[in-house]
Amino acid sequence: MLTNQTLQNCLDELKEITKVELALYDIEGIRIAITSEAASVQADALAYFAGSAADSQVIGKCHLLKVEDEGKDSYILAAYGEGDNVYMIARIAVSQIRGLLTAYKEKYDRNNYFQNLILDNLLLVDIYNRAKRLHINVEVRRVVYLIETKLDKDTGVMELMRSLFSQQNGDYVIAVDERGVILIKALQKGEDDEEIEQIAQTIVDMLNTEAMLKARVAYGTVVSELKEVSKSYKEAKMAMDVGKIFDAARKVISYKHLGIGRLIYQLPTNLCQMFMEEIFGDNLPDRLDEETLATINKFFENSLNVSETARQLYIHRNTLVYRIEKLQKETGLDIRNFDDALTFKIALMVVSYLQYIDNNFHS
């Protein structure tokens, strides 16, 4: 609902310009805003006017006008002053209040519309009918960004996002749960993948600089139809989850670049467990010590290059070979061999996935 303070500010600005005292009451006669007691009206006079069929009435130096909201009389405006222009100013005030009511409802309805759109709560016919009524352009390329910080219900993030991305440009910032903020970004002609990723990086940098928050941003693919916005949102949500599991240090995650992590994420957990037992038996990789895991990861980062890995770990080449051979005895896999290395890499990712599922199931 439109706040009383907003209506009070509106009357104060009009009074400052016109020098006419104004007051606003709801249809029950309860005062909402007033610039001076000179514009106050007796309760019985308000009740009589509210119950009459007239749109306006004059009581001494006070003009009363009804304000409609969605076809119903919802407010009574009182304008007090001398001169023929008082009635005209009262009409202007009524128009201004109607505009505020419409703008507020339109903003609220748009947020509600996009919330239902991304959650697939709208029928196809409603998607386009409501978009037309809310003046939402349906022929725009859009992409959905999902922004998460460690703080739940952080309204400051919403405000910062809305200051950077305006509805006037076709961008909408909404929230559908306590964990994240969603940006539905309208793309300009010619904006490509590089610029889309740069937008995500800008969001991360802005939240870090302005709000001192560590944020993670994931985004889906570009869609050209309004009905496909929910698809881009689901992709962004998957990208966020996959990024947390397989690349926790990464701050910007694109659905298009999830790689094998996307495949593992979509596998049933029972198949993942069967794979682990088939390859390793009782010697699961999650039971390896941190030093061994760090060695393996660095070995993979260096494309199975023993000499370069040893150099970066500041250990002798023979020490690294010893660790690899020890791992081979424990698991049966020689990660110097490409096929075994690939199997082990996938196994580590599956372990991360199973741990993520387990932690979220029990949290």
Side-chain angles (χ1 to χ4, degrees):
M1 183 176 179
L2 197 60
T3 64
N4 291 355
Q5 186 58 53
T6 300
L7 293 167
Q8 181 67 57
N9 292 342
C10 175
L11 296 192
D12 287 341
E13 289 179 5
L14 286 169
K15 188 254 180 174
E16 184 68 25
I17 296 169
T18 65
K19 309 305 180 185
V20 171
E21 302 294 351
L22 302 165
L24 186 68
Y25 302 82
D26 67 14
I27 204 66
E28 302 297 328
I30 299 174
R31 190 165 74 187
I32 294 173
I34 192 169
T35 61
S36 170
E37 288 298 327
S40 62
V41 183
Q42 295 293 327
D44 55 348
L46 288 171
Y48 176 81
F49 177 57
S52 71
D55 292 330
S56 63
Q57 182 178 341
V58 180
I59 303 176
K61 296 181 180 180
C62 192
H63 291 259
L64 301 180
L65 287 84
K66 291 177 181 175
V67 183
E68 287 188 355
D69 183 19
E70 295 185 340
K72 296 193 306 181
D73 293 334
S74 301
Y75 299 96
I76 296 174
L77 177 82
Y80 178 86
E82 297 182 357
D84 297 334
N85 65 335
V86 175
Y87 176 74
M88 180 186 68
I89 292 167
R91 291 288 301 273
I92 293 173
V94 168
S95 177
Q96 186 77 2
I97 292 168
R98 283 177 181 165
L100 282 174
L101 293 169
T102 300
Y104 178 84
K105 290 181 185 301
E106 187 173 90
K107 176 182 178 181
Y108 175 80
D109 285 347
R110 282 180 174 178
N111 289 340
N112 180 266
Y113 171 80
F114 277 108
Q115 285 176 343
N116 284 294
L117 179 64
I118 64 175
L119 295 176
D120 288 326
N121 291 336
L122 295 174
L123 297 174
L124 183 60
V125 64
D126 291 332
I127 291 175
Y128 292 100
N129 286 343
R130 290 185 61 183
K132 183 178 180 180
R133 180 170 63 84
L134 294 171
H135 309 292
I136 296 171
N137 194 340
V138 300
E139 298 179 354
V140 174
R141 293 167 62 243
R142 293 181 171 91
V143 63
V144 176
Y145 294 86
L146 179 59
I147 303 100
E148 284 191 3
T149 65
K150 291 184 178 181
L151 299 178
D152 289 344
K153 290 185 176 179
D154 188 1
T155 56
V157 175
M158 290 281 290
E159 295 305 317
L160 278 172
M161 291 295 297
R162 284 174 174 161
S163 69
L164 188 63
F165 302 98
S166 169
Q167 287 193 15
Q168 293 179 348
N169 297 325
D171 303 331
Y172 298 92
V173 178
I174 61 174
V176 294
D177 56 34
E178 296 179 350
R179 300 180 60 190
V181 173
I182 296 164
L183 167 65
I184 302 171
K185 181 77 178 71
L187 300 176
Q188 303 299 320
K189 187 176 181 180
E191 284 188 310
D192 55 16
D193 290 346
E194 183 178 347
E195 290 167 309
I196 291 170
E197 180 160 355
Q198 184 57 47
I199 291 171
Q201 189 60 56
T202 299
I203 294 171
V204 171
D205 294 341
M206 181 193 70
L207 291 175
N208 185 34
T209 303
E210 300 293 332
M212 304 299 290
L213 291 173
K214 292 184 178 179
R216 183 191 297 270
V217 178
Y219 60 94
T221 56
V222 176
V223 296
S224 56
E225 294 189 32
L226 195 58
K227 65 181 181 180
E228 293 182 333
V229 166
S230 63
K231 170 178 168 286
S232 186
Y233 165 69
K234 291 170 186 174
E235 292 170 346
K237 195 171 186 304
M238 178 187 287
M240 181 67 74
D241 289 340
V242 172
K244 288 178 183 176
I245 299 170
F246 304 117
D247 198 352
R250 199 169 165 193
K251 300 305 179 185
V252 174
I253 312 104
S254 167
Y255 176 81
K256 293 174 65 175
H257 302 114
L258 294 180
I260 197 170
R262 180 193 310 166
L263 176 63
I264 296 173
Y265 179 79
Q266 293 176 312
L267 290 174
T269 55
N270 61 326
L271 289 181
C272 293
Q273 290 166 346
M274 287 173 60
F275 167 77
M276 297 297 291
E277 291 171 3
E278 179 183 336
I279 300 298
F280 299 102
D282 295 330
N283 299 314
L284 297 179
D286 61 335
R287 296 175 186 170
L288 298 173
D289 59 83
E290 290 186 9
E291 181 185 71
T292 302
L293 286 173
T295 300
I296 295 166
N297 288 327
K298 184 61 68 174
F299 188 56
F300 289 157
E301 287 176 15
N302 288 287
S303 303
L304 314 186
N305 186 311
V306 175
S307 298
E308 182 61 23
T309 302
R311 187 186 70 80
Q312 292 189 19
L313 289 174
Y314 302 103
I315 60 176
H316 194 278
R317 188 179 189 277
N318 291 342
T319 302
L320 177 59
V321 171
Y322 168 77
R323 291 181 184 177
I324 292 173
E325 291 177 346
K326 180 182 176 184
L327 179 68
Q328 182 181 2
K329 290 180 182 179
E330 293 176 350
T331 65
L333 297 175
D334 183 0
I335 60 173
R336 290 169 294 187
N337 176 279
F338 176 78
D339 288 342
D340 285 356
L342 180 61
T343 300
F344 201 90
K345 176 65 174 178
I346 293 173
L348 290 178
M349 296 178 71
V350 170
V351 167
S352 298
Y353 172 61
L354 291 174
Q355 289 175 340
Y356 175 83
I357 296 296
D358 186 61
N359 292 336
N360 280 270
F361 180 77
H362 291 98
S363 61

